[in-house]
Amino acid sequence: MQRSIAATEGIFAILDTPVTIQDAPDAKTLQSSQGRIDFENVTFRYAGTSIDALSHVTLKIEPGKSYALVGASGAGKSTILSLILRLYDPTSGAVRIDGNDLRGLTQQSLREQIGLVTQETFLFHDTIYNNIIFGRLDATREDIYRAAQMAYAHEFILAQPKKYDTTVGDKGMLLSGGQQQRLAIARAVLKNAPILLLDEATSALDSESEKQIQMALQTLAAGKTVVAIAHRLSTILSSDQIIVMENGRVKEIGTHAELLAQSGYYRRLYDLQFNRGAEHKDPEPEELFEVVS
Ligand SMILES: Nc1ncnc2c1ncn2[C@@H]1O[C@H](COP(=O)(O)OP(=O)(O)OP(=O)(O)O)[C@@H](O)[C@H]1O
Ligand SMILES: [Mg+2]
């Protein structure tokens, strides 16, 4: 009794939390986005903290191009993705999509335009089929199979005891990390939103799984605006632009070759992580792009 009272109080405290992000009374519906995102002098501070997580960030994300966000832990990479999703509003400045301030759009129509693949895939205690259809509830069985095929998931699904009707267990624990990620990719393939946000896994998977995820992501990303928190060299190298963040600021932006030639902060990150001089002649593509400054 005592324990369930304590647990119930905890749940009610969450339910009673005031909602800070609300639709404006005259919020517009965003229809099929071109995938253009603009950060205009965005400064953002999390409630209850004393430093800005982002300061004066100005970014022009062009439709159909891919961007890799790199930088040390705490640099503000995840915060950028959270602001694109409008999980928070900027403290000052504006985030726009196709020229519309996010604060003037309905949250539902905004999020319908965004596919999200994160490190922590959220799978429900339900069948594989129902976990994929969550990406677009009106999808047909054929759509689900096609999405699973494009996500390189169809084969491992057919190898499960009840195929698409296999229950994945709480948070997908009956599947490997790589399989869970491919289900998340299948979900995003099904949703087919023009903007794709990707928070790449830092944990190393076996190289076969890694290769399949890489291929699945390539199929998914084709023709979309992609903003990826990139930890793998292959993702960084295949992006159109690399955005280097440091302490909440955009420090450098350019292609890999441009940034290396500038011999700046990016070069130091790259040398530290992938190009460690004579004893490591070939940078290992599986290595993580993670530097503690
Ligand atoms: N929910 C939160 N509440 C308060 N402060 C936060 C919150 N999330 C992040 N921060 C702070 O905001 C800053 C930017 O964090 P952010 O998560 O964007 O960094 P990151 O670049 O994604 O780092 P990592 O590579 O470790 O994921 C950090 O100083 C962090 O401590
Ligand atoms: Mg992060």
Side-chain angles (χ1 to χ4, degrees):
M1 275 293 281
Q2 288 295 343
R3 258 188 281 157
S4 57
I5 288 169
T8 310
E9 280 174 356
I11 290 167
F12 277 102
I14 292 171
L15 292 177
D16 291 342
T17 309
V19 178
T20 50
I21 302 291
Q22 304 260 27
D23 281 357
D26 57 348
K28 285 196 299 181
T29 306
L30 177 68
Q31 311 268 0
S32 58
S33 166
Q34 306 161 12
R36 176 184 302 284
I37 306 165
D38 287 298
F39 278 67
E40 288 174 2
N41 199 18
V42 170
T43 296
F44 175 71
R45 181 177 295 190
Y46 286 96
T49 64
S50 56
I51 49 158
D52 293 334
L54 295 179
S55 20
H56 305 289
V57 170
T58 295
L59 279 176
K60 285 201 181 308
I61 310 266
E62 310 262 353
K65 288 199 174 172
S66 59
Y67 295 80
L69 288 168
V70 304
S73 182
K77 305 179 296 293
S78 298
T79 306
I80 295 266
L81 297 195
S82 298
L83 291 186
I84 296 174
L85 284 162
R86 201 184 169 214
L87 302 184
Y88 306 97
D89 284 331
T91 310
S92 66
V95 182
R96 295 179 190 277
I97 182 162
D98 302 348
N100 304 294
D101 192 313
L102 299 191
R103 287 168 289 206
L105 298 172
T106 64
Q107 293 169 75
Q108 182 177 350
S109 71
L110 169 68
R111 291 180 194 143
E112 272 168 7
Q113 302 300 315
I114 302 176
L116 183 63
V117 178
T118 58
Q119 307 182 3
E120 272 266 308
T121 301
F122 197 89
L123 296 178
F124 298 103
H125 185 103
D126 203 335
T127 60
I128 290 176
Y129 184 89
N130 284 336
N131 269 289
I132 298 177
I133 203 170
F134 185 65
R136 182 162 57 82
L137 297 174
D138 64 355
T140 64
R141 203 156 252 276
E142 280 62 46
D143 295 335
I144 306 276
Y145 294 161
R146 207 171 316 119
Q149 271 159 352
M150 285 173 70
Y152 293 83
H154 189 64
E155 275 175 31
F156 89 74
I157 295 171
L158 292 185
Q160 301 300 308
K162 291 173 151 179
K163 305 190 166 65
Y164 279 81
D165 299 321
T166 310
T167 301
V168 298
D170 273 328
K171 295 187 89 185
M173 65 184 178
L174 301 179
L175 300 173
S176 75
Q179 291 170 338
Q180 293 177 33
Q181 276 183 31
R182 278 177 279 156
L183 289 191
I185 294 170
R187 232 183 226 171
V189 168
L190 199 61
K191 187 166 182 182
N192 195 26
I195 297 171
L196 176 63
L197 304 183
L198 180 63
D199 193 350
E200 205 166 48
T202 46
S203 55
L205 297 162
D206 64 90
S207 56
E208 186 52 35
S209 203
E210 194 64 61
K211 217 186 307 163
Q212 284 182 322
I213 286 172
Q214 210 66 45
M215 290 191 297
L217 285 174
Q218 263 168 28
T219 324
L220 174 60
K224 299 189 164 70
T225 305
V226 182
V227 184
I229 298 178
H231 294 282
R232 299 185 191 290
L233 188 57
S234 52
T235 313
I236 296 168
L237 295 183
S238 65
S239 295
D240 295 313
Q241 294 276 300
I242 300 163
I243 302 168
V244 186
M245 309 253 339
E246 189 191 32
N247 295 330
R249 291 173 187 271
V250 175
K251 175 107 179 163
E252 294 162 0
I253 178 160
T255 64
H256 177 73
E258 285 165 2
L259 293 177
L260 273 192
Q262 281 178 19
S263 192
Y265 183 68
Y266 179 77
R267 183 165 201 117
R268 285 208 304 283
L269 285 180
Y270 174 77
D271 284 344
L272 258 169
Q273 208 52 41
F274 300 116
N275 194 19
R276 298 196 201 103
E279 71 273 30
H280 293 279
K281 281 212 183 67
D282 295 315
E284 181 52 64
E286 301 337 318
E287 275 185 88
L288 308 180
F289 197 88
E290 199 180 21
V291 176
V292 180
S293 59

